[in-house]
Coordinates of all heavy atoms in Angstrom, one line a residue:
S1 N 137.3 -3.6 56.9 CA 136.2 -2.6 56.9 C 136.4 -1.5 55.9 O 137.5 -1.2 55.6 CB 136.0 -2.1 58.3 OG 137.2 -1.3 58.7
D2 N 135.3 -0.9 55.6 CA 135.4 0.2 54.6 C 135.5 1.5 55.4 O 135.1 1.6 56.6 CB 134.1 0.3 53.8 CG 134.1 -0.8 52.8 OD1 135.1 -1.3 52.4 OD2 133.0 -1.2 52.3
T3 N 136.0 2.5 54.7 CA 136.0 3.9 55.3 C 135.2 4.8 54.5 O 135.1 4.6 53.2 CB 137.4 4.5 55.4 OG1 138.0 4.5 54.1 CG2 138.3 3.6 56.4
L4 N 134.5 5.7 55.1 CA 133.8 6.8 54.5 C 134.4 8.1 54.8 O 134.6 8.4 56.0 CB 132.3 6.8 54.9 CG 131.4 5.7 54.5 CD1 130.0 5.9 55.2 CD2 131.2 5.8 53.0
D5 N 134.7 8.9 53.8 CA 135.3 10.3 54.0 C 134.1 11.2 54.2 O 133.2 11.4 53.4 CB 136.0 10.6 52.7 CG 136.8 12.0 52.9 OD1 136.2 12.9 53.4 OD2 137.9 12.0 52.4
L6 N 134.1 11.9 55.4 CA 132.9 12.7 55.7 C 133.1 14.2 55.5 O 132.4 14.8 54.7 CB 132.6 12.5 57.2 CG 132.2 11.1 57.6 CD1 131.7 11.1 59.1 CD2 131.2 10.5 56.7
I7 N 134.1 14.8 56.1 CA 134.3 16.3 56.0 C 135.8 16.6 56.2 O 136.6 15.7 56.6 CB 133.6 17.0 57.2 CG1 134.0 16.6 58.6 CG2 132.1 16.9 57.0 CD1 133.5 17.4 59.7
A8 N 136.2 17.8 55.9 CA 137.5 18.3 56.3 C 137.4 18.7 57.8 O 136.3 19.2 58.2 CB 137.8 19.5 55.5
A9 N 138.4 18.4 58.5 CA 138.4 18.8 60.0 C 138.1 20.3 60.1 O 137.4 20.7 61.1 CB 139.8 18.4 60.6
D10 N 138.6 21.1 59.2 CA 138.4 22.5 59.3 C 136.9 23.0 59.1 O 136.6 24.1 59.3 CB 139.3 23.3 58.3 CG 140.7 23.3 58.8 OD1 141.0 22.9 59.9 OD2 141.6 23.6 57.9
D11 N 136.1 22.0 58.6 CA 134.7 22.4 58.3 C 133.9 22.5 59.6 O 132.8 23.0 59.6 CB 134.0 21.2 57.5 CG 134.5 21.2 56.1 OD1 135.1 22.2 55.6 OD2 134.3 20.2 55.4
L12 N 134.4 22.1 60.7 CA 133.6 22.0 62.0 C 134.5 22.6 63.1 O 135.6 22.2 63.3 CB 133.3 20.6 62.3 CG 132.3 20.3 63.3 CD1 130.9 20.9 63.0 CD2 132.1 18.8 63.5
A13 N 133.9 23.6 63.7 CA 134.6 24.3 64.8 C 134.4 23.5 66.1 O 133.5 22.8 66.3 CB 134.0 25.7 65.0
P14 N 135.4 23.7 67.1 CA 135.2 23.0 68.4 C 133.9 23.3 69.0 O 133.5 24.5 69.0 CB 136.4 23.5 69.2 CG 137.4 23.9 68.1 CD 136.6 24.4 67.0
G15 N 133.3 22.3 69.6 CA 132.0 22.4 70.3 C 130.8 22.4 69.4 O 129.7 22.6 69.8
E16 N 131.0 22.2 68.1 CA 130.0 22.3 67.1 C 129.6 20.9 66.6 O 130.4 19.9 66.8 CB 130.3 23.2 65.9 CG 130.6 24.6 66.3 CD 129.4 25.4 66.6 OE1 128.4 25.3 65.9 OE2 129.4 26.1 67.6
A17 N 128.5 20.8 65.9 CA 128.0 19.5 65.3 C 127.4 19.8 64.0 O 126.9 20.9 63.7 CB 126.9 18.9 66.2
M18 N 127.4 18.8 63.1 CA 126.8 19.0 61.8 C 126.3 17.6 61.3 O 126.8 16.6 61.7 CB 127.8 19.6 60.8 CG 129.0 18.7 60.4 SD 130.2 19.5 59.4 CE 129.3 19.7 57.9
Q19 N 125.3 17.7 60.4 CA 124.8 16.5 59.8 C 125.6 16.2 58.5 O 125.9 17.1 57.8 CB 123.3 16.6 59.5 CG 122.7 15.4 58.9 CD 121.3 15.6 58.4 OE1 121.0 16.2 57.4 NE2 120.3 15.0 59.2
V20 N 125.9 14.9 58.3 CA 126.5 14.5 57.1 C 125.8 13.2 56.6 O 125.6 12.3 57.4 CB 128.0 14.2 57.3 CG1 128.7 13.6 56.0 CG2 128.8 15.4 57.8
E21 N 125.5 13.2 55.3 CA 124.9 12.0 54.7 C 126.0 11.4 53.9 O 126.6 12.0 53.0 CB 123.7 12.4 53.9 CG 122.6 13.0 54.8 CD 121.2 13.0 54.1 OE1 121.2 13.1 52.9 OE2 120.2 12.9 54.8
A22 N 126.2 10.1 54.2 CA 127.3 9.4 53.4 C 127.0 7.9 53.5 O 126.6 7.4 54.5 CB 128.7 9.7 54.0
G23 N 127.2 7.2 52.4 CA 127.1 5.8 52.4 C 125.7 5.3 52.8 O 125.6 4.2 53.3
G24 N 124.7 6.1 52.5 CA 123.3 5.7 52.9 C 123.0 6.0 54.3 O 121.9 5.6 54.8
L25 N 124.0 6.6 55.1 CA 123.8 6.8 56.5 C 123.5 8.3 56.7 O 124.0 9.2 56.0 CB 125.0 6.4 57.3 CG 125.4 5.0 57.2 CD1 126.8 4.8 57.8 CD2 124.4 4.1 57.9
T26 N 122.7 8.6 57.7 CA 122.5 10.0 58.1 C 123.2 10.2 59.5 O 122.8 9.6 60.5 CB 121.0 10.4 58.2 OG1 120.4 10.1 57.0 CG2 120.8 11.8 58.6
L27 N 124.3 10.9 59.5 CA 125.2 10.9 60.6 C 125.3 12.3 61.3 O 125.0 13.3 60.6 CB 126.6 10.6 60.1 CG 126.8 9.2 59.4 CD1 128.1 9.2 58.6 CD2 126.7 8.1 60.4
A28 N 125.7 12.3 62.5 CA 126.0 13.5 63.2 C 127.5 13.5 63.5 O 128.0 12.5 64.1 CB 125.2 13.7 64.5
V29 N 128.2 14.6 63.1 CA 129.6 14.7 63.4 C 129.8 15.7 64.5 O 129.2 16.8 64.4 CB 130.4 15.1 62.2 CG1 131.9 15.1 62.5 CG2 130.1 14.1 61.0
F30 N 130.5 15.4 65.6 CA 130.7 16.3 66.7 C 132.2 16.6 66.8 O 133.0 15.6 66.6 CB 130.2 15.7 68.0 CG 128.8 15.3 68.0 CD1 128.4 13.9 67.6 CD2 127.8 16.2 68.2 CE1 127.1 13.6 67.6 CE2 126.5 15.8 68.2 CZ 126.1 14.5 67.9
R31 N 132.5 17.8 67.1 CA 133.9 18.1 67.4 C 134.1 18.6 68.9 O 133.4 19.6 69.3 CB 134.4 19.2 66.5 CG 135.9 19.6 66.7 CD 136.5 20.5 65.7 NE 137.9 20.8 66.0 CZ 138.7 21.4 65.1 NH1 138.2 21.8 63.9 NH2 139.9 21.7 65.5
V32 N 134.9 17.9 69.7 CA 135.2 18.3 71.0 C 136.7 18.6 71.1 O 137.5 17.7 70.9 CB 134.8 17.2 72.0 CG1 135.1 17.7 73.5 CG2 133.4 16.8 71.9
A33 N 137.0 19.9 71.2 CA 138.4 20.4 71.1 C 138.9 19.9 69.7 O 138.3 20.3 68.7 CB 139.3 19.8 72.2
D34 N 139.9 19.1 69.6 CA 140.4 18.6 68.3 C 140.1 17.2 68.0 O 140.7 16.5 67.2 CB 141.9 18.9 68.2 CG 142.2 20.4 68.0 OD1 141.3 21.1 67.4 OD2 143.2 20.8 68.4
E35 N 139.1 16.6 68.8 CA 138.7 15.3 68.6 C 137.3 15.2 67.9 O 136.4 16.1 68.1 CB 138.6 14.5 69.9 CG 139.9 14.4 70.6 CD 139.8 14.1 72.1 OE1 138.7 13.6 72.5 OE2 140.7 14.3 72.8
F36 N 137.1 14.2 67.1 CA 135.9 14.1 66.3 C 135.2 12.8 66.7 O 135.8 11.8 66.9 CB 136.2 14.1 64.8 CG 136.7 15.4 64.3 CD1 138.0 15.8 64.5 CD2 135.8 16.4 63.8 CE1 138.5 17.0 64.1 CE2 136.3 17.6 63.4 CZ 137.6 17.9 63.5
Y37 N 133.9 12.9 66.8 CA 133.0 11.8 67.1 C 131.8 11.7 66.2 O 131.3 12.8 65.8 CB 132.5 11.9 68.6 CG 133.7 11.9 69.5 CD1 134.2 13.2 69.9 CD2 134.3 10.8 70.0 CE1 135.3 13.2 70.8 CE2 135.4 10.8 70.8 CZ 135.9 12.0 71.2 OH 137.0 12.1 72.0
V38 N 131.4 10.5 65.8 CA 130.4 10.4 64.8 C 129.3 9.4 65.3 O 129.7 8.3 65.8 CB 130.9 9.9 63.4 CG1 129.8 9.7 62.4 CG2 131.9 10.9 62.9
T39 N 128.1 9.8 65.3 CA 127.0 8.9 65.7 C 125.9 8.9 64.6 O 125.9 9.8 63.7 CB 126.3 9.4 67.0 OG1 125.6 10.6 66.7 CG2 127.3 9.6 68.1
D40 N 125.0 8.0 64.7 CA 123.7 8.2 63.9 C 123.1 9.5 64.3 O 123.1 9.9 65.5 CB 122.7 7.1 64.1 CG 123.1 5.8 63.4 OD1 123.8 5.9 62.4 OD2 122.7 4.7 63.9
D41 N 122.5 10.3 63.3 CA 122.0 11.6 63.7 C 120.6 11.4 64.3 O 120.2 12.3 65.1 CB 121.9 12.4 62.4 CG 121.7 13.9 62.8 OD1 122.0 14.3 63.9 OD2 121.2 14.6 61.9
H42 N 119.9 10.3 64.0 CA 118.5 10.2 64.6 C 118.6 9.7 66.0 O 119.2 8.7 66.3 CB 117.7 9.2 63.7 CG 117.3 9.8 62.4 ND1 118.1 9.6 61.3 CD2 116.3 10.6 62.0 CE1 117.5 10.2 60.3 NE2 116.5 10.8 60.7
C43 N 118.0 10.5 66.9 CA 117.8 10.1 68.3 C 117.1 8.8 68.4 O 116.2 8.5 67.6 CB 117.0 11.2 69.0 SG 116.9 10.9 70.8
T44 N 117.6 7.9 69.3 CA 117.0 6.6 69.5 C 115.6 6.7 70.2 O 114.9 5.7 70.3 CB 117.9 5.7 70.3 OG1 118.1 6.2 71.6 CG2 119.2 5.4 69.6
H45 N 115.3 7.8 70.7 CA 114.0 8.0 71.4 C 112.9 8.5 70.6 O 111.7 8.2 70.9 CB 114.3 9.0 72.6 CG 113.0 9.2 73.4 ND1 112.3 10.4 73.3 CD2 112.3 8.5 74.3 CE1 111.3 10.4 74.1 NE2 111.3 9.2 74.7
G46 N 113.1 9.2 69.5 CA 112.0 9.8 68.8 C 112.6 10.6 67.6 O 113.6 10.3 67.0
P47 N 111.9 11.6 67.2 CA 112.2 12.3 65.9 C 113.3 13.3 66.0 O 113.7 13.9 65.0 CB 110.9 13.0 65.6 CG 110.2 13.2 66.9 CD 110.6 12.1 67.8
G48 N 113.9 13.5 67.2 CA 115.0 14.5 67.3 C 116.2 14.1 66.4 O 116.5 12.9 66.2
L49 N 116.9 15.2 66.0 CA 118.2 15.0 65.3 C 119.3 15.5 66.2 O 119.3 16.7 66.6 CB 118.2 15.8 63.9 CG 117.2 15.3 62.9 CD1 117.1 16.2 61.7 CD2 117.5 13.8 62.5
L50 N 120.3 14.6 66.4 CA 121.3 15.0 67.4 C 122.1 16.1 67.1 O 122.6 16.9 67.9 CB 122.1 13.7 67.8 CG 121.3 12.6 68.4 CD1 122.2 11.4 68.8 CD2 120.5 13.1 69.6
H51 N 122.4 16.4 65.8 CA 123.3 17.5 65.4 C 122.6 18.8 65.7 O 123.3 19.9 65.8 CB 123.6 17.4 63.9 CG 122.6 18.0 63.0 ND1 121.5 17.2 62.6 CD2 122.5 19.2 62.4 CE1 120.8 18.0 61.7 NE2 121.4 19.2 61.6
E52 N 121.3 18.8 65.9 CA 120.6 20.0 66.3 C 120.5 20.2 67.8 O 120.0 21.2 68.3 CB 119.1 20.0 65.8 CG 119.1 20.0 64.3 CD 117.6 19.9 63.7 OE1 116.7 19.5 64.5 OE2 117.4 20.2 62.5
G53 N 121.1 19.3 68.6 CA 121.0 19.4 70.0 C 122.1 20.2 70.6 O 122.8 20.9 69.9
C54 N 122.3 20.2 71.9 CA 123.2 21.0 72.6 C 124.4 20.2 73.1 O 124.2 19.2 73.8 CB 122.5 21.6 73.8 SG 123.6 22.7 74.8
L55 N 125.6 20.5 72.6 CA 126.8 19.7 72.9 C 127.5 20.4 74.0 O 127.9 21.6 73.9 CB 127.7 19.6 71.7 CG 129.0 18.8 71.8 CD1 128.7 17.4 72.1 CD2 129.8 19.0 70.5
T56 N 127.7 19.7 75.2 CA 128.4 20.2 76.3 C 129.5 19.2 76.7 O 129.2 18.1 77.1 CB 127.5 20.4 77.5 OG1 126.4 21.3 77.1 CG2 128.2 21.1 78.7
G57 N 130.7 19.5 76.4 CA 131.8 18.5 76.6 C 131.5 17.4 75.6 O 131.3 17.6 74.4
Y58 N 131.4 16.2 76.2 CA 131.1 15.0 75.4 C 129.7 14.6 75.4 O 129.3 13.5 74.9 CB 131.9 13.8 75.9 CG 133.4 14.0 75.9 CD1 134.2 14.3 77.0 CD2 134.1 13.9 74.7 CE1 135.6 14.4 76.9 CE2 135.5 14.1 74.6 CZ 136.2 14.3 75.7 OH 137.5 14.5 75.6
E59 N 128.8 15.4 76.0 CA 127.4 15.1 76.1 C 126.6 15.8 75.1 O 126.6 17.1 75.0 CB 126.9 15.5 77.5 CG 125.4 15.1 77.7 CD 125.0 15.4 79.2 OE1 125.8 15.9 80.0 OE2 123.8 15.1 79.4
I60 N 125.8 15.1 74.3 CA 124.9 15.7 73.4 C 123.5 15.5 73.9 O 123.0 14.4 74.2 CB 125.0 15.1 71.9 CG1 124.1 15.9 71.0 CG2 124.8 13.6 71.9 CD1 124.3 17.3 70.7
E61 N 122.8 16.7 74.1 CA 121.4 16.7 74.6 C 120.5 16.9 73.4 O 120.6 17.9 72.7 CB 121.2 17.8 75.6 CG 119.8 17.8 76.2 CD 119.6 19.0 77.1 OE1 119.3 20.1 76.6 OE2 119.7 18.9 78.3
C62 N 119.6 15.9 73.2 CA 118.6 16.0 72.1 C 117.7 17.2 72.5 O 117.2 17.3 73.6 CB 117.9 14.7 72.0 SG 116.6 14.7 70.8
D63 N 117.4 18.0 71.5 CA 116.6 19.2 71.9 C 115.1 18.9 71.8 O 114.3 19.8 71.9 CB 117.0 20.4 71.1 CG 116.7 20.3 69.6 OD1 116.1 19.3 69.2 OD2 117.0 21.3 68.9
F64 N 114.8 17.6 71.5 CA 113.3 17.2 71.4 C 112.7 17.0 72.8 O 111.7 17.5 73.1 CB 113.2 16.0 70.5 CG 112.0 16.2 69.6 CD1 112.2 16.8 68.4 CD2 110.8 15.6 69.9 CE1 111.1 16.9 67.5 CE2 109.7 15.7 69.0 CZ 109.9 16.4 67.8
H65 N 113.4 16.1 73.6 CA 112.9 15.9 74.9 C 114.0 15.9 76.0 O 113.9 15.4 77.1 CB 112.2 14.5 75.1 CG 111.2 14.2 74.0 ND1 111.4 13.3 73.0 CD2 109.9 14.7 73.9 CE1 110.3 13.3 72.3 NE2 109.4 14.1 72.8
Q66 N 115.1 16.5 75.6 CA 116.3 16.7 76.5 C 116.9 15.5 77.0 O 117.6 15.5 78.1 CB 115.8 17.6 77.7 CG 115.7 19.1 77.2 CD 114.5 19.4 76.3 OE1 113.4 19.0 76.7 NE2 114.8 19.9 75.1
G67 N 116.7 14.3 76.4 CA 117.5 13.1 76.7 C 118.9 13.4 76.2 O 119.2 14.3 75.3
S68 N 119.9 12.6 76.7 CA 121.3 12.9 76.2 C 122.1 11.6 76.1 O 121.8 10.6 76.8 CB 122.0 13.9 77.1 OG 122.2 13.4 78.4
F69 N 123.2 11.7 75.3 CA 124.1 10.6 75.1 C 125.5 11.1 75.2 O 125.8 12.3 75.0 CB 123.9 10.1 73.6 CG 122.5 9.7 73.3 CD1 121.6 10.6 72.7 CD2 122.2 8.4 73.4 CE1 120.4 10.2 72.4 CE2 120.9 8.0 73.1 CZ 120.0 8.9 72.5
D70 N 126.4 10.2 75.5 CA 127.9 10.4 75.4 C 128.3 10.2 74.0 O 128.2 9.0 73.5 CB 128.6 9.5 76.4 CG 130.1 9.8 76.6 OD1 130.7 10.1 75.5 OD2 130.6 9.8 77.7
V71 N 128.9 11.2 73.3 CA 129.2 11.0 71.9 C 130.4 10.1 71.7 O 130.7 9.6 70.6 CB 129.6 12.4 71.2 CG1 128.3 13.3 71.2 CG2 130.8 13.1 71.9
R72 N 131.2 9.8 72.8 CA 132.3 8.9 72.7 C 131.9 7.4 72.6 O 132.5 6.6 71.9 CB 133.2 9.0 73.9 CG 133.9 10.4 74.0 CD 134.6 10.6 75.3 NE 133.6 10.6 76.4 CZ 134.0 10.9 77.7 NH1 135.2 11.2 78.0 NH2 133.1 10.9 78.6
T73 N 130.8 7.1 73.3 CA 130.4 5.7 73.4 C 129.0 5.4 72.9 O 128.6 4.3 72.6 CB 130.4 5.3 74.9 OG1 129.4 6.1 75.6 CG2 131.8 5.4 75.5
G74 N 128.2 6.5 72.8 CA 126.8 6.3 72.4 C 125.9 6.0 73.6 O 124.6 5.9 73.4
E75 N 126.5 5.8 74.8 CA 125.7 5.4 75.9 C 124.7 6.5 76.3 O 125.1 7.7 76.2 CB 126.6 5.0 77.1 CG 127.4 3.8 76.9 CD 126.5 2.5 76.7 OE1 125.5 2.4 77.4 OE2 126.8 1.7 75.9
V76 N 123.6 6.1 76.9 CA 122.6 7.1 77.4 C 123.2 7.7 78.6 O 123.7 7.1 79.5 CB 121.3 6.4 77.7 CG1 120.3 7.4 78.4 CG2 120.6 5.9 76.4
I77 N 123.0 9.1 78.7 CA 123.4 9.8 80.0 C 122.1 10.2 80.7 O 122.0 10.0 81.9 CB 124.2 11.0 79.7 CG1 125.6 10.6 79.1 CG2 124.4 11.8 81.0 CD1 126.5 11.7 78.7
E78 N 121.1 10.7 80.0 CA 119.9 11.2 80.6 C 118.7 10.6 79.9 O 118.6 10.6 78.6 CB 119.8 12.7 80.6 CG 120.8 13.4 81.5 CD 120.5 13.3 82.9 OE1 119.3 13.0 83.3 OE2 121.4 13.5 83.7
P79 N 117.6 10.2 80.7 CA 116.4 9.8 80.0 C 115.7 11.0 79.5 O 116.0 12.1 79.9 CB 115.6 9.2 81.2 CG 116.2 9.8 82.4 CD 117.6 10.1 82.1
P80 N 114.7 10.9 78.7 CA 113.9 9.6 78.4 C 114.6 8.7 77.4 O 114.0 7.6 77.2 CB 112.6 10.1 77.8 CG 113.0 11.4 77.1 CD 114.0 12.0 78.0
C81 N 115.7 8.9 76.9 CA 116.4 8.0 76.1 C 116.8 6.7 76.9 O 117.2 6.9 78.1 CB 117.7 8.6 75.5 SG 117.4 10.1 74.7
T82 N 116.6 5.6 76.3 CA 117.0 4.3 77.0 C 118.0 3.5 76.1 O 118.7 2.7 76.6 CB 115.8 3.5 77.3 OG1 115.1 3.2 76.1 CG2 114.9 4.2 78.3
I83 N 117.9 3.7 74.8 CA 118.7 2.9 73.9 C 119.9 3.7 73.4 O 119.8 4.8 73.0 CB 117.8 2.5 72.6 CG1 116.5 1.8 73.1 CG2 118.6 1.7 71.6 CD1 115.5 1.7 72.0
P84 N 121.1 3.1 73.5 CA 122.3 3.8 73.0 C 122.2 4.2 71.6 O 121.5 3.5 70.8 CB 123.4 2.8 73.3 CG 122.9 1.9 74.3 CD 121.4 1.8 74.1
V85 N 122.9 5.2 71.2 CA 122.9 5.6 69.8 C 124.2 5.0 69.2 O 125.2 4.9 69.9 CB 122.9 7.1 69.6 CG1 124.1 7.8 70.1 CG2 122.7 7.5 68.1
K86 N 124.1 4.6 68.0 CA 125.3 3.9 67.3 C 126.4 4.9 67.1 O 126.1 6.1 66.6 CB 124.8 3.3 66.0 CG 126.0 2.5 65.3 CD 125.4 1.8 64.1 CE 126.5 1.2 63.2 NZ 127.2 0.1 63.9
V87 N 127.6 4.5 67.4 CA 128.8 5.4 67.1 C 129.7 4.7 66.1 O 129.6 3.4 66.0 CB 129.6 5.7 68.4 CG1 128.8 6.5 69.4 CG2 130.1 4.4 69.1
Y88 N 130.4 5.5 65.4 CA 131.3 5.0 64.4 C 132.8 5.4 64.7 O 133.0 6.5 65.0 CB 130.9 5.5 63.0 CG 129.5 5.2 62.6 CD1 128.4 5.9 63.1 CD2 129.3 4.1 61.8 CE1 127.1 5.6 62.7 CE2 128.0 3.7 61.4 CZ 126.9 4.5 61.9 OH 125.6 4.1 61.6
P89 N 133.7 4.4 64.6 CA 135.1 4.8 64.9 C 135.6 5.8 63.8 O 135.3 5.7 62.6 CB 135.9 3.5 64.7 CG 134.8 2.4 64.8 CD 133.5 3.0 64.3
T90 N 136.2 6.9 64.3 CA 136.7 7.9 63.5 C 138.2 7.8 63.2 O 138.9 7.3 64.1 CB 136.4 9.3 64.0 OG1 137.0 9.4 65.3 CG2 134.9 9.5 64.1
V91 N 138.6 8.3 62.1 CA 140.0 8.4 61.7 C 140.3 9.8 61.2 O 139.5 10.2 60.4 CB 140.4 7.3 60.7 CG1 141.9 7.4 60.3 CG2 140.0 5.9 61.1
L92 N 141.3 10.4 61.6 CA 141.8 11.7 61.1 C 142.9 11.4 60.1 O 143.9 10.8 60.5 CB 142.2 12.6 62.1 CG 141.2 13.6 62.7 CD1 141.9 14.4 63.8 CD2 140.7 14.6 61.6
R93 N 142.8 11.8 58.9 CA 143.8 11.5 57.9 C 143.9 12.6 56.9 O 142.9 13.0 56.3 CB 143.5 10.2 57.2 CG 144.6 9.7 56.2 CD 144.2 8.5 55.4 NE 143.8 7.4 56.3 CZ 143.0 6.4 56.0 NH1 142.5 6.4 54.8 NH2 142.8 5.4 56.8
D94 N 145.1 13.2 56.8 CA 145.3 14.3 55.9 C 144.3 15.4 56.0 O 143.8 16.0 55.0 CB 145.3 13.8 54.4 CG 146.4 12.8 54.2 OD1 147.5 12.8 54.9 OD2 146.2 11.9 53.3
G95 N 143.9 15.7 57.3 CA 143.0 16.8 57.5 C 141.6 16.5 57.2 O 140.7 17.4 57.3
R96 N 141.3 15.2 57.0 CA 139.9 14.8 56.7 C 139.4 13.9 57.9 O 140.2 13.2 58.5 CB 139.8 14.0 55.4 CG 140.4 14.6 54.2 CD 139.5 15.6 53.6 NE 138.1 15.2 53.4 CZ 137.1 16.0 52.9 NH1 137.3 17.2 52.7 NH2 135.9 15.5 52.7
V97 N 138.1 13.9 58.1 CA 137.5 13.0 59.1 C 136.8 11.9 58.4 O 136.0 12.1 57.5 CB 136.5 13.8 59.9 CG1 135.8 12.9 61.0 CG2 137.1 15.0 60.6
L98 N 137.3 10.7 58.7 CA 136.7 9.5 58.1 C 136.1 8.6 59.2 O 136.5 8.7 60.3 CB 137.8 8.7 57.4 CG 138.5 9.3 56.2 CD1 139.6 10.3 56.6 CD2 139.1 8.3 55.3
I99 N 135.2 7.7 58.8 CA 134.7 6.7 59.7 C 134.9 5.4 59.1 O 135.0 5.2 57.9 CB 133.3 6.9 60.1 CG1 132.4 6.9 58.8 CG2 133.1 8.2 60.9 CD1 130.9 6.8 59.2
E100 N 135.0 4.4 60.0 CA 135.0 3.0 59.6 C 133.6 2.5 59.7 O 132.9 2.7 60.7 CB 136.0 2.2 60.5 CG 137.4 2.6 60.3 CD 138.3 2.1 61.3 OE1 137.9 1.4 62.2 OE2 139.5 2.3 61.2
V101 N 133.1 1.8 58.7 CA 131.7 1.3 58.7 C 131.8 -0.2 58.4 O 132.7 -0.7 57.9 CB 130.8 2.0 57.7 CG1 130.7 3.4 58.1 CG2 131.4 1.9 56.3
Ligands
FES1 FE1 115.5 12.7 71.4 FE2 113.1 12.3 72.6 S1 113.6 12.4 70.4 S2 115.0 12.7 73.5

């Protein structure tokens, strides 16, 4: 598999999220304590962008209709979302956050 280099770990504070475009993908990168999780940024329910949502622990709540996902697995936590969001395995290497695609 290929890896994509997204950001420096220091670019994102704990509890924060940001959008990263890489490899033709529009991604949301989440930091929970010192762990990083990456999903597609587009909500599977509609036009919401997950990096603009509210991150509480491992739960990202889309601010469009308040559906939510677990950033670790992409599984739906709260409706109206029904379709999981795609997650990408992350790797921390030399202070950088990479994903496998
Ligand atoms: Fe995200 Fe509807 S667009 S919950």
Side-chain angles (χ1 to χ4, degrees):
S1 65
D2 287 338
T3 57
L4 286 176
D5 185 320
L6 300 186
I7 59 169
D10 289 346
D11 288 344
L12 193 58
E16 299 286 316
M18 66 188 292
Q19 185 185 74
V20 176
E21 295 195 330
L25 302 170
T26 302
L27 303 164
V29 184
F30 303 96
R31 179 170 180 172
V32 180
D34 286 329
E35 297 165 16
F36 292 83
Y37 301 93
V38 177
T39 70
D40 281 335
D41 197 20
H42 288 94
C43 183
T44 59
H45 177 256
L49 294 174
L50 296 182
H51 82 279
E52 295 178 340
C54 180
L55 182 64
T56 304
Y58 297 106
E59 181 175 2
I60 181 66
E61 183 187 80
C62 179
D63 68 3
F64 222 85
H65 308 108
Q66 284 71 54
S68 68
F69 304 90
D70 188 317
V71 297
R72 296 170 293 187
T73 63
E75 292 298 321
V76 172
I77 297 175
E78 291 290 338
C81 306
T82 58
I83 302 167
V85 68
K86 184 174 172 63
V87 297
Y88 299 84
T90 59
V91 181
L92 266 177
R93 187 185 301 155
D94 299 331
R96 307 282 308 175
V97 179
L98 297 80
I99 57 167
E100 294 170 357
V101 294

